[in-house]
């Protein structure tokens, strides 16, 4: 599998344009809906914030959903690339129809 990646200069405007084409946007942020409770099977754009401050306010407002990764123990945040990999794996799991194992 290859995931298309695009670089843009104005992310909020790009999100608005892509929503008109049928994409739903999910941003990863602490305090959102647990990723197991969201449907990630359709055309979804994933927004991962920077490691220091997360997703910016305006971009977060443009997203349709805010997703959180369940965290256990004393860890409360992840490296952006690790968070992205976990969410992409969850999307792939859902698309294959595999049941999630939850605590």
């Amino acid at each position: 599998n290859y995931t298309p990646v695009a670089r843009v200069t104005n992310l909020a405007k790009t999100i608005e344009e892509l929503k008109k084409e049928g994409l739903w946007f999910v941003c990863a942020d602490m305090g959102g809906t647990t990723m197991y409770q969201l449907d990630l099977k359709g055309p979804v754009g994933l927004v991962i914030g920077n490691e220091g401050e997360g997703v910016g306010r305006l971009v977060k407002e443009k997203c349709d959903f805010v997703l959180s990764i369940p965290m256990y123990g004393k860890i409360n945040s992840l490296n952006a690339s690790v968070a992205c990999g976990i969410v992409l794996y969850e999307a792939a799991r859902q698309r294959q129809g595999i049941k999630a194992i939850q605590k």
Side-chain angles (χ1 to χ4, degrees):
N1 263 343
Y2 292 92
T3 303
V5 176
R7 287 183 167 253
V8 298
T9 55
N10 186 328
L11 189 54
K13 184 176 178 182
T14 302
I15 287 172
E16 286 179 355
E17 291 174 10
L18 291 172
K19 284 172 112 177
K20 292 175 188 173
E21 300 298 320
L23 265 72
W24 290 81
F25 280 85
V26 176
C27 74
D29 193 61
M30 291 186 296
T33 303
T34 303
M35 67 183 184
Y36 301 125
Q37 297 173 326
L38 292 176
D39 181 354
L40 303 173
K41 294 185 289 278
V44 174
L46 176 60
V47 179
I48 302 288
N50 71 40
E51 294 169 20
E53 299 176 24
V55 177
R57 181 195 55 82
L58 180 59
V59 170
K60 191 175 183 179
E61 288 174 4
K62 298 288 182 188
C63 290
D64 300 296
F65 302 99
V66 178
L67 168 149
S68 69
I69 298 169
M71 304 293 287
Y72 303 100
K74 296 181 182 183
I75 297 171
N76 61 6
S77 67
L78 298 169
N79 172 285
S81 66
V82 171
C84 183
I86 290 169
V87 176
L88 290 175
Y89 182 83
E90 173 59 14
R93 183 198 63 78
Q94 287 185 19
R95 292 168 187 205
Q96 293 175 9
I98 301 168
K99 295 270 186 199
I101 299 173
Q102 297 184 29
K103 285 187 173 183

